[in-house]
Amino acid sequence: MSLLETIQQKSIAFVEDTIKLRRHLHANPELSYKEFETAKFVAENLKAFGLKPQEGVAETGLVVLIEGKNPSAKTVALRADMDALPIEEKNNIPYKSKNAGVMHACGHDVHTSSLLSTTRILNDIKDQFEGTIKLLFQPGEEKNPGGASYMIRDGALENPKPASIIGQHVMPLIPVGKIGFREGMYMASSDEIYLKVIGKGGHGATPELTIDPIVIASHIIIGLQQVISRNASPKQPTVLTFGKINGDGATNIIPNEVNIAGTFRALNEEWRENGLKKIIQMATGIAEAMGGKCEIELSRGYPYLENNPEVTRRIRKAAEQYVGKENIVDLDISMGSEDFAYYSQVIPASFYRLGTRNESKGITSYIHTPTFDIDEDALKLSPGLMAWMAINELTIK
Ligand SMILES: [Zn+2]
Ligand SMILES: [Zn+2]
């Protein structure tokens, strides 16, 4: 039997266990940076495979090595994220979240359980490959500054340093059984913008005695859209969305201040910096011109995600061998963001998508919604596919 067939068979043979792992994680979700029980569970399982994980990396993250023959020949890294979201689950399933208001609505339970089974497969066949595979179980993907940045800070990409890193993410728009790839620019940088527009409140009937922050805020919101239409290059995908505006006055009360919150997304680090500068300049300028003030706070999010073309081509080829060419799909640019981007700034990286949709089973909800779920058939292939990709990467000189 070929190594590919061995891996495929193991992935299928372990599927009941992978599902069990996934359902345990799904029922017991934990928020970003609070993945204490999750980390314990992952550590227990790794130890049960006979491995010695390094615990406490980025506080609630883990790193484990699988050494093949000649372990110093080359190292390749695989990554899963482990955190859940502050969403109340609306699915009626036996493994529904037991933690009120917390839900694995982004599939990180899928990534973690898959990578556990990947680890098991690789450990079983470690005498059949050369080099080392480093597995990263990271916390805090969903919350700034991103668990990946802490993993890097704590040395997850050193000793041994991986030549490349691969990440997997569920995709409810892609049918189960299919895998999506994209070379180059893939996901956006994401920064949060908080504007406090300060005026001078008063009676709604005497606007001449006030500085109306509601009107100033309205001008700012409209004005800032021109940063996108006039300052961003038309060739440069970019988004500015304000999803929250709060001016606590009344029909006859002009409030003292208005708070606005939004997100700015870009696919180019230079434009990201310039865009943010323009936003600050315009918001403060408009407020001052109208007699008020605008205070701005930025919460810097993840950089944009660049899929290294060579790594992406190689893992795509590995996936073609694994699932057949007809099951490979091309991904479009996404304005979503992912902290896997931090790894892509340090070493060649590629982030691909695992199809989890199944309309015939009614599984169509998007990630970050209270009814998100996956077709668990995806778990038949996800562990083996990652193992196969990693082993392929190890063979590249
Ligand atoms: Zn998410
Ligand atoms: Zn996610």
Side-chain angles (χ1 to χ4, degrees), residues 20 23 35 81 142 147 150 166 172-173 225 230 233 236 241 275 291 298 302 313 315 338 348 353 360 384 387:
K20 226 187 265 170
R23 291 187 174 192
E35 307 89 343
D81 42 11
E142 297 285 1
Y150 291 145
I166 305 164
L173 299 178
Q225 286 307 321
R230 299 293 85 185
S233 158
Q236 202 47 256
T241 294
L298 295 179
Y302 312 151
R313 275 199 285 277
I315 65 168
E338 231 303 329
R353 295 287 185 163
S360 68

PDB file of all heavy atoms in Angstrom, residues 20 23 35 81 142 147 150 166 172-173 225 230 233 236 241 275 291 298 302 313 315 338 348 353 360 384 387:
ATOM      1  N   LYS A  20     -15.884  12.278  17.851  1.00  0.00           N
ATOM      2  CA  LYS A  20     -16.029  12.349  19.311  1.00  0.00           C
ATOM      3  C   LYS A  20     -15.254  13.545  19.876  1.00  0.00           C
ATOM      4  O   LYS A  20     -15.748  14.287  20.725  1.00  0.00           O
ATOM      5  CB  LYS A  20     -15.503  11.040  19.931  1.00  0.00           C
ATOM      6  CG  LYS A  20     -16.430  10.466  20.999  1.00  0.00           C
ATOM      7  CD  LYS A  20     -15.796   9.287  21.703  1.00  0.00           C
ATOM      8  CE  LYS A  20     -16.221   7.956  21.077  1.00  0.00           C
ATOM      9  NZ  LYS A  20     -15.424   6.827  21.592  1.00  0.00           N
ATOM     10  N   ARG A  23     -17.054  16.764  18.893  1.00  0.00           N
ATOM     11  CA  ARG A  23     -18.298  17.006  19.631  1.00  0.00           C
ATOM     12  C   ARG A  23     -18.011  17.401  21.083  1.00  0.00           C
ATOM     13  O   ARG A  23     -18.731  18.225  21.655  1.00  0.00           O
ATOM     14  CB  ARG A  23     -19.199  15.773  19.550  1.00  0.00           C
ATOM     15  CG  ARG A  23     -19.721  15.572  18.142  1.00  0.00           C
ATOM     16  CD  ARG A  23     -20.735  14.464  18.053  1.00  0.00           C
ATOM     17  NE  ARG A  23     -21.297  14.428  16.700  1.00  0.00           N
ATOM     18  CZ  ARG A  23     -22.360  13.725  16.357  1.00  0.00           C
ATOM     19  NH1 ARG A  23     -22.978  12.988  17.266  1.00  0.00           N
ATOM     20  NH2 ARG A  23     -22.807  13.763  15.125  1.00  0.00           N
ATOM     21  N   GLU A  35      -8.957  29.390  26.971  1.00  0.00           N
ATOM     22  CA  GLU A  35      -9.114  28.007  26.513  1.00  0.00           C
ATOM     23  C   GLU A  35      -8.436  27.024  27.465  1.00  0.00           C
ATOM     24  O   GLU A  35      -7.721  26.114  27.054  1.00  0.00           O
ATOM     25  CB  GLU A  35      -8.528  27.837  25.106  1.00  0.00           C
ATOM     26  CG  GLU A  35      -9.039  28.822  24.051  1.00  0.00           C
ATOM     27  CD  GLU A  35      -8.221  30.100  23.988  1.00  0.00           C
ATOM     28  OE1 GLU A  35      -7.471  30.392  24.950  1.00  0.00           O
ATOM     29  OE2 GLU A  35      -8.315  30.814  22.977  1.00  0.00           O
ATOM     30  N   ASP A  81      -6.582  26.469  15.443  1.00  0.00           N
ATOM     31  CA  ASP A  81      -6.981  27.403  16.493  1.00  0.00           C
ATOM     32  C   ASP A  81      -8.061  26.750  17.348  1.00  0.00           C
ATOM     33  O   ASP A  81      -8.760  25.839  16.903  1.00  0.00           O
ATOM     34  CB  ASP A  81      -7.429  28.748  15.905  1.00  0.00           C
ATOM     35  CG  ASP A  81      -8.302  28.585  14.665  1.00  0.00           C
ATOM     36  OD1 ASP A  81      -8.736  27.453  14.368  1.00  0.00           O
ATOM     37  OD2 ASP A  81      -8.561  29.592  13.983  1.00  0.00           O
ATOM     38  N   GLU A 142      -9.874  34.683  17.562  1.00  0.00           N
ATOM     39  CA  GLU A 142     -11.010  35.587  17.309  1.00  0.00           C
ATOM     40  C   GLU A 142     -10.851  36.964  17.943  1.00  0.00           C
ATOM     41  O   GLU A 142     -11.718  37.810  17.785  1.00  0.00           O
ATOM     42  CB  GLU A 142     -12.306  34.958  17.839  1.00  0.00           C
ATOM     43  CG  GLU A 142     -12.709  33.650  17.158  1.00  0.00           C
ATOM     44  CD  GLU A 142     -13.281  33.850  15.760  1.00  0.00           C
ATOM     45  OE1 GLU A 142     -13.350  35.003  15.299  1.00  0.00           O
ATOM     46  OE2 GLU A 142     -13.634  32.850  15.132  1.00  0.00           O
ATOM     47  N   GLY A 147      -3.992  35.225  18.953  1.00  0.00           N
ATOM     48  CA  GLY A 147      -3.144  34.222  19.624  1.00  0.00           C
ATOM     49  C   GLY A 147      -1.901  33.876  18.828  1.00  0.00           C
ATOM     50  O   GLY A 147      -0.864  33.534  19.404  1.00  0.00           O
ATOM     51  N   TYR A 150       1.058  35.807  19.885  1.00  0.00           N
ATOM     52  CA  TYR A 150       1.632  35.325  21.152  1.00  0.00           C
ATOM     53  C   TYR A 150       2.403  34.017  20.948  1.00  0.00           C
ATOM     54  O   TYR A 150       3.400  33.768  21.621  1.00  0.00           O
ATOM     55  CB  TYR A 150       0.538  35.111  22.196  1.00  0.00           C
ATOM     56  CG  TYR A 150      -0.108  36.387  22.692  1.00  0.00           C
ATOM     57  CD1 TYR A 150      -1.456  36.414  23.016  1.00  0.00           C
ATOM     58  CD2 TYR A 150       0.632  37.555  22.848  1.00  0.00           C
ATOM     59  CE1 TYR A 150      -2.065  37.570  23.490  1.00  0.00           C
ATOM     60  CE2 TYR A 150       0.043  38.723  23.319  1.00  0.00           C
ATOM     61  CZ  TYR A 150      -1.306  38.721  23.635  1.00  0.00           C
ATOM     62  OH  TYR A 150      -1.896  39.870  24.095  1.00  0.00           O
ATOM     63  N   ILE A 166       1.182  25.470   7.429  1.00  0.00           N
ATOM     64  CA  ILE A 166      -0.096  25.270   6.734  1.00  0.00           C
ATOM     65  C   ILE A 166      -1.231  25.402   7.748  1.00  0.00           C
ATOM     66  O   ILE A 166      -1.149  24.868   8.853  1.00  0.00           O
ATOM     67  CB  ILE A 166      -0.144  23.864   6.083  1.00  0.00           C
ATOM     68  CG1 ILE A 166       1.064  23.661   5.160  1.00  0.00           C
ATOM     69  CG2 ILE A 166      -1.446  23.664   5.313  1.00  0.00           C
ATOM     70  CD1 ILE A 166       1.291  22.196   4.794  1.00  0.00           C
ATOM     71  N   PRO A 172     -18.275  27.035   4.948  1.00  0.00           N
ATOM     72  CA  PRO A 172     -19.646  26.591   4.717  1.00  0.00           C
ATOM     73  C   PRO A 172     -20.209  26.956   3.350  1.00  0.00           C
ATOM     74  O   PRO A 172     -21.337  26.579   3.036  1.00  0.00           O
ATOM     75  CB  PRO A 172     -20.427  27.278   5.837  1.00  0.00           C
ATOM     76  CG  PRO A 172     -19.583  28.414   6.272  1.00  0.00           C
ATOM     77  CD  PRO A 172     -18.167  28.069   5.972  1.00  0.00           C
ATOM     78  N   LEU A 173     -19.450  27.683   2.534  1.00  0.00           N
ATOM     79  CA  LEU A 173     -19.910  27.969   1.173  1.00  0.00           C
ATOM     80  C   LEU A 173     -19.449  26.875   0.207  1.00  0.00           C
ATOM     81  O   LEU A 173     -19.933  26.796  -0.919  1.00  0.00           O
ATOM     82  CB  LEU A 173     -19.367  29.325   0.695  1.00  0.00           C
ATOM     83  CG  LEU A 173     -19.788  30.552   1.507  1.00  0.00           C
ATOM     84  CD1 LEU A 173     -19.139  31.809   0.946  1.00  0.00           C
ATOM     85  CD2 LEU A 173     -21.304  30.700   1.527  1.00  0.00           C
ATOM     86  N   GLN A 225     -16.447  57.766   3.868  1.00  0.00           N
ATOM     87  CA  GLN A 225     -16.591  56.819   2.754  1.00  0.00           C
ATOM     88  C   GLN A 225     -15.779  57.267   1.541  1.00  0.00           C
ATOM     89  O   GLN A 225     -15.434  56.470   0.671  1.00  0.00           O
ATOM     90  CB  GLN A 225     -18.066  56.617   2.378  1.00  0.00           C
ATOM     91  CG  GLN A 225     -18.852  55.771   3.380  1.00  0.00           C
ATOM     92  CD  GLN A 225     -18.205  54.427   3.687  1.00  0.00           C
ATOM     93  OE1 GLN A 225     -17.663  53.764   2.807  1.00  0.00           O
ATOM     94  NE2 GLN A 225     -18.242  54.020   4.948  1.00  0.00           N
ATOM     95  N   ARG A 230     -12.136  57.760  -2.972  1.00  0.00           N
ATOM     96  CA  ARG A 230     -11.219  58.741  -3.575  1.00  0.00           C
ATOM     97  C   ARG A 230      -9.744  58.525  -3.236  1.00  0.00           C
ATOM     98  O   ARG A 230      -8.868  58.941  -3.986  1.00  0.00           O
ATOM     99  CB  ARG A 230     -11.604  60.173  -3.150  1.00  0.00           C
ATOM    100  CG  ARG A 230     -12.995  60.606  -3.569  1.00  0.00           C
ATOM    101  CD  ARG A 230     -13.138  60.753  -5.076  1.00  0.00           C
ATOM    102  NE  ARG A 230     -13.443  59.467  -5.718  1.00  0.00           N
ATOM    103  CZ  ARG A 230     -13.535  59.274  -7.030  1.00  0.00           C
ATOM    104  NH1 ARG A 230     -13.355  60.276  -7.869  1.00  0.00           N
ATOM    105  NH2 ARG A 230     -13.798  58.091  -7.532  1.00  0.00           N
ATOM    106  N   SER A 233      -6.850  53.103  -4.167  1.00  0.00           N
ATOM    107  CA  SER A 233      -6.806  52.791  -5.590  1.00  0.00           C
ATOM    108  C   SER A 233      -7.968  51.865  -5.934  1.00  0.00           C
ATOM    109  O   SER A 233      -8.285  50.955  -5.169  1.00  0.00           O
ATOM    110  CB  SER A 233      -5.480  52.096  -5.916  1.00  0.00           C
ATOM    111  OG  SER A 233      -5.629  51.359  -7.108  1.00  0.00           O
ATOM    112  N   GLN A 236      -7.411  48.321  -5.469  1.00  0.00           N
ATOM    113  CA  GLN A 236      -7.064  47.886  -4.118  1.00  0.00           C
ATOM    114  C   GLN A 236      -8.336  47.576  -3.314  1.00  0.00           C
ATOM    115  O   GLN A 236      -9.035  48.498  -2.896  1.00  0.00           O
ATOM    116  CB  GLN A 236      -6.284  49.035  -3.471  1.00  0.00           C
ATOM    117  CG  GLN A 236      -5.401  48.677  -2.324  1.00  0.00           C
ATOM    118  CD  GLN A 236      -4.532  47.480  -2.538  1.00  0.00           C
ATOM    119  OE1 GLN A 236      -4.827  46.414  -2.005  1.00  0.00           O
ATOM    120  NE2 GLN A 236      -3.474  47.609  -3.314  1.00  0.00           N
ATOM    121  N   THR A 241     -16.514  50.030   7.297  1.00  0.00           N
ATOM    122  CA  THR A 241     -17.887  49.846   7.755  1.00  0.00           C
ATOM    123  C   THR A 241     -18.023  50.353   9.185  1.00  0.00           C
ATOM    124  O   THR A 241     -17.211  49.987  10.040  1.00  0.00           O
ATOM    125  CB  THR A 241     -18.266  48.345   7.721  1.00  0.00           C
ATOM    126  OG1 THR A 241     -18.285  47.909   6.367  1.00  0.00           O
ATOM    127  CG2 THR A 241     -19.642  48.102   8.320  1.00  0.00           C
ATOM    128  N   GLY A 275      -4.432  54.672   4.703  1.00  0.00           N
ATOM    129  CA  GLY A 275      -5.884  54.754   4.868  1.00  0.00           C
ATOM    130  C   GLY A 275      -6.251  55.175   6.289  1.00  0.00           C
ATOM    131  O   GLY A 275      -7.105  56.043   6.498  1.00  0.00           O
ATOM    132  N   GLY A 291     -16.885  72.914  14.730  1.00  0.00           N
ATOM    133  CA  GLY A 291     -16.857  73.447  16.092  1.00  0.00           C
ATOM    134  C   GLY A 291     -16.758  72.394  17.185  1.00  0.00           C
ATOM    135  O   GLY A 291     -16.784  72.715  18.378  1.00  0.00           O
ATOM    136  N   LEU A 298      -7.694  53.539  17.865  1.00  0.00           N
ATOM    137  CA  LEU A 298      -7.579  52.427  16.917  1.00  0.00           C
ATOM    138  C   LEU A 298      -7.207  51.170  17.683  1.00  0.00           C
ATOM    139  O   LEU A 298      -6.358  51.213  18.569  1.00  0.00           O
ATOM    140  CB  LEU A 298      -6.470  52.701  15.898  1.00  0.00           C
ATOM    141  CG  LEU A 298      -6.645  53.871  14.944  1.00  0.00           C
ATOM    142  CD1 LEU A 298      -5.423  53.987  14.042  1.00  0.00           C
ATOM    143  CD2 LEU A 298      -7.905  53.708  14.108  1.00  0.00           C
ATOM    144  N   TYR A 302      -5.267  42.170  12.745  1.00  0.00           N
ATOM    145  CA  TYR A 302      -4.298  41.309  12.075  1.00  0.00           C
ATOM    146  C   TYR A 302      -3.844  41.925  10.756  1.00  0.00           C
ATOM    147  O   TYR A 302      -4.584  42.653  10.116  1.00  0.00           O
ATOM    148  CB  TYR A 302      -4.934  39.938  11.799  1.00  0.00           C
ATOM    149  CG  TYR A 302      -5.639  39.360  12.998  1.00  0.00           C
ATOM    150  CD1 TYR A 302      -6.727  38.500  12.857  1.00  0.00           C
ATOM    151  CD2 TYR A 302      -5.217  39.689  14.283  1.00  0.00           C
ATOM    152  CE1 TYR A 302      -7.376  37.984  13.971  1.00  0.00           C
ATOM    153  CE2 TYR A 302      -5.864  39.180  15.394  1.00  0.00           C
ATOM    154  CZ  TYR A 302      -6.940  38.332  15.234  1.00  0.00           C
ATOM    155  OH  TYR A 302      -7.586  37.829  16.326  1.00  0.00           O
ATOM    156  N   ARG A 313       0.883  26.131  -4.210  1.00  0.00           N
ATOM    157  CA  ARG A 313       0.855  25.224  -5.376  1.00  0.00           C
ATOM    158  C   ARG A 313       1.154  23.792  -4.950  1.00  0.00           C
ATOM    159  O   ARG A 313       0.524  22.852  -5.420  1.00  0.00           O
ATOM    160  CB  ARG A 313       1.879  25.674  -6.426  1.00  0.00           C
ATOM    161  CG  ARG A 313       1.331  26.754  -7.361  1.00  0.00           C
ATOM    162  CD  ARG A 313       2.151  26.857  -8.638  1.00  0.00           C
ATOM    163  NE  ARG A 313       3.421  27.527  -8.428  1.00  0.00           N
ATOM    164  CZ  ARG A 313       3.563  28.878  -8.421  1.00  0.00           C
ATOM    165  NH1 ARG A 313       2.527  29.658  -8.616  1.00  0.00           N
ATOM    166  NH2 ARG A 313       4.741  29.416  -8.221  1.00  0.00           N
ATOM    167  N   ILE A 315       0.777  22.355  -1.855  1.00  0.00           N
ATOM    168  CA  ILE A 315      -0.255  21.694  -1.040  1.00  0.00           C
ATOM    169  C   ILE A 315      -1.528  21.472  -1.857  1.00  0.00           C
ATOM    170  O   ILE A 315      -2.279  20.531  -1.621  1.00  0.00           O
ATOM    171  CB  ILE A 315      -0.563  22.438   0.289  1.00  0.00           C
ATOM    172  CG1 ILE A 315      -1.182  23.809   0.063  1.00  0.00           C
ATOM    173  CG2 ILE A 315       0.677  22.535   1.166  1.00  0.00           C
ATOM    174  CD1 ILE A 315      -1.748  24.426   1.344  1.00  0.00           C
ATOM    175  N   GLU A 338      -7.776  36.944   9.496  1.00  0.00           N
ATOM    176  CA  GLU A 338      -7.346  35.716  10.161  1.00  0.00           C
ATOM    177  C   GLU A 338      -5.984  35.971  10.779  1.00  0.00           C
ATOM    178  O   GLU A 338      -5.104  36.519  10.111  1.00  0.00           O
ATOM    179  CB  GLU A 338      -7.157  34.637   9.083  1.00  0.00           C
ATOM    180  CG  GLU A 338      -7.819  33.326   9.261  1.00  0.00           C
ATOM    181  CD  GLU A 338      -7.537  32.524  10.501  1.00  0.00           C
ATOM    182  OE1 GLU A 338      -6.441  32.604  11.063  1.00  0.00           O
ATOM    183  OE2 GLU A 338      -8.424  31.779  10.927  1.00  0.00           O
ATOM    184  N   PRO A 348       7.140  31.179   4.986  1.00  0.00           N
ATOM    185  CA  PRO A 348       6.181  30.879   3.907  1.00  0.00           C
ATOM    186  C   PRO A 348       4.979  30.114   4.469  1.00  0.00           C
ATOM    187  O   PRO A 348       5.154  29.134   5.204  1.00  0.00           O
ATOM    188  CB  PRO A 348       6.991  30.012   2.939  1.00  0.00           C
ATOM    189  CG  PRO A 348       8.418  30.388   3.207  1.00  0.00           C
ATOM    190  CD  PRO A 348       8.490  30.691   4.680  1.00  0.00           C
ATOM    191  N   ARG A 353      -9.046  26.079   2.563  1.00  0.00           N
ATOM    192  CA  ARG A 353     -10.410  25.923   3.075  1.00  0.00           C
ATOM    193  C   ARG A 353     -10.938  24.510   2.891  1.00  0.00           C
ATOM    194  O   ARG A 353     -10.824  23.927   1.813  1.00  0.00           O
ATOM    195  CB  ARG A 353     -11.344  26.890   2.347  1.00  0.00           C
ATOM    196  CG  ARG A 353     -11.035  28.343   2.627  1.00  0.00           C
ATOM    197  CD  ARG A 353     -11.443  28.731   4.019  1.00  0.00           C
ATOM    198  NE  ARG A 353     -11.252  30.156   4.242  1.00  0.00           N
ATOM    199  CZ  ARG A 353     -11.825  30.830   5.243  1.00  0.00           C
ATOM    200  NH1 ARG A 353     -12.614  30.221   6.090  1.00  0.00           N
ATOM    201  NH2 ARG A 353     -11.588  32.115   5.383  1.00  0.00           N
ATOM    202  N   SER A 360     -28.323  19.073   1.294  1.00  0.00           N
ATOM    203  CA  SER A 360     -29.299  17.990   1.468  1.00  0.00           C
ATOM    204  C   SER A 360     -29.515  17.678   2.953  1.00  0.00           C
ATOM    205  O   SER A 360     -30.546  17.136   3.335  1.00  0.00           O
ATOM    206  CB  SER A 360     -28.845  16.730   0.720  1.00  0.00           C
ATOM    207  OG  SER A 360     -27.700  16.195   1.344  1.00  0.00           O
ATOM    208  N   GLY A 384      -6.308  13.359   7.494  1.00  0.00           N
ATOM    209  CA  GLY A 384      -5.356  12.725   6.588  1.00  0.00           C
ATOM    210  C   GLY A 384      -4.801  13.698   5.559  1.00  0.00           C
ATOM    211  O   GLY A 384      -3.619  13.661   5.214  1.00  0.00           O
ATOM    212  N   ALA A 387      -2.056  15.697   7.040  1.00  0.00           N
ATOM    213  CA  ALA A 387      -0.868  14.848   7.231  1.00  0.00           C
ATOM    214  C   ALA A 387      -0.137  14.671   5.903  1.00  0.00           C
ATOM    215  O   ALA A 387       1.092  14.792   5.823  1.00  0.00           O
ATOM    216  CB  ALA A 387      -1.286  13.492   7.802  1.00  0.00           C
TER     217      ALA A 387
END
